[in-house]
C-alpha cells in the first residue's frame, strides 16, 4: 500500500479501493473491495447553498457531492492495473489532523466513514502541458452497505 504525503495544496488523506471482480455460475458479478492506497487530496462540498441534501420522495435519497483534486490518477492501481471510474471507491476522507470528515450517522455504516463513487475525473494540465493534478467530482454511494 502506498501512502502519499499531504501538503498545503492537498491537505487531506483518503483511502482508494479497487475491486476483485468474480462471476458466479449464473453470471452474477461479485466485487470484493480491496484497499489499494491512501492518497493526498483536497475536497469540499459542492453547491449546497441552493439545494437540499435530503430529497423527500418515496425513496428518501441523500445527495452529497464533493468537488476536489488529487495528485495521481486513482483509476490506475498501485500495481498498474487500469480500472474504470465505476470500479473505484473513495472513503475515509480525513483532515490534516487525521479526523474523519464525512461520517454516516445511521444505516449499515452508522459511525463509519461515508463511501463515495467517482462521478467525474479529469486531468488538469499546467501552462507547460504537464498534468499537475486530477479534478474529481465524488458522489455519495447509494450502497453504503459495501464491506470495505
Amino acid at each position: 500500500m502506498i501512502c502519499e504525503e499531504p501538503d498545503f495544496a492537498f491537505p487531506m488523506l483518503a483511502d482508494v479501493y479497487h475491486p476483485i471482480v468474480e462471476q458466479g455460475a449464473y453470471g452474477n458479478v461479485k466485487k470484493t473491495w480491496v484497499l489499494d492506497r491512501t492518497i493526498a487530496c483536497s475536497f469540499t462540498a459542492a453547491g449546497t447553498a441552493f439545494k437540499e441534501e435530503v430529497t423527500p420522495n418515496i425513496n428518501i435519497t441523500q445527495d452529497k457531492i464533493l468537488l476536489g483534486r488529487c495528485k495521481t490518477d486513482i483509476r490506475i492501481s498501485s500495481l498498474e492495473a487500469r480500472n474504470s471510474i465505476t470500479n473505484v471507491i473513495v472513503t475515509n476522507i480525513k483532515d490534516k489532523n487525521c479526523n474523519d470528515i464525512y461520517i454516516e450517522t445511521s444505516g449499515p455504516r452508522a459511525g463509519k466513514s461515508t463511501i463515495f463513487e467517482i462521478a467525474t475525473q479529469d486531468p488538469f494540465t499546467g501552462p507547460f502541458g504537464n498534468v499537475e493534478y486530477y479534478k474529481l467530482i465524488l458522489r455519495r454511494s447509494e450502497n453504503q452497505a459495501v464491506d470495505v
Side-chain angles (χ1 to χ4, degrees), residues 33-125:
W33 294 96
V34 179
L35 176 62
D36 182 59
R37 67 183 183 268
T38 300
I39 60 166
C41 56
S42 177
F43 289 106
T44 187
T48 57
F50 301 104
K51 185 177 172 230
E52 294 181 14
E53 186 173 311
V54 177
T55 307
N57 54 23
I58 294 173
N59 297 323
I60 296 176
T61 56
Q62 180 182 6
D63 294 329
K64 174 64 90 181
I65 299 198
L66 302 178
L67 300 176
R69 59 186 175 189
C70 63
K71 294 179 181 182
T72 57
D73 187 347
I74 63 175
R75 297 171 303 166
I76 301 173
S77 76
S78 57
L79 300 174
E80 299 296 320
R82 300 185 185 289
N83 293 283
S84 67
I85 62 173
T86 57
N87 278 343
V88 179
I89 58 174
V90 177
T91 189
N92 298 326
I93 299 174
K94 299 180 183 298
D95 65 11
K96 67 178 183 176
N97 297 320
C98 290
N99 298 314
D100 285 324
I101 299 173
Y102 303 101
I103 299 171
E104 291 295 302
T105 56
S106 63
R109 288 190 62 83
K112 296 180 182 176
S113 186
T114 303
I115 296 174
F116 292 95
E117 301 170 345
I118 300 174
T120 305
Q121 177 180 322
D122 290 316
F124 177 82
T125 54

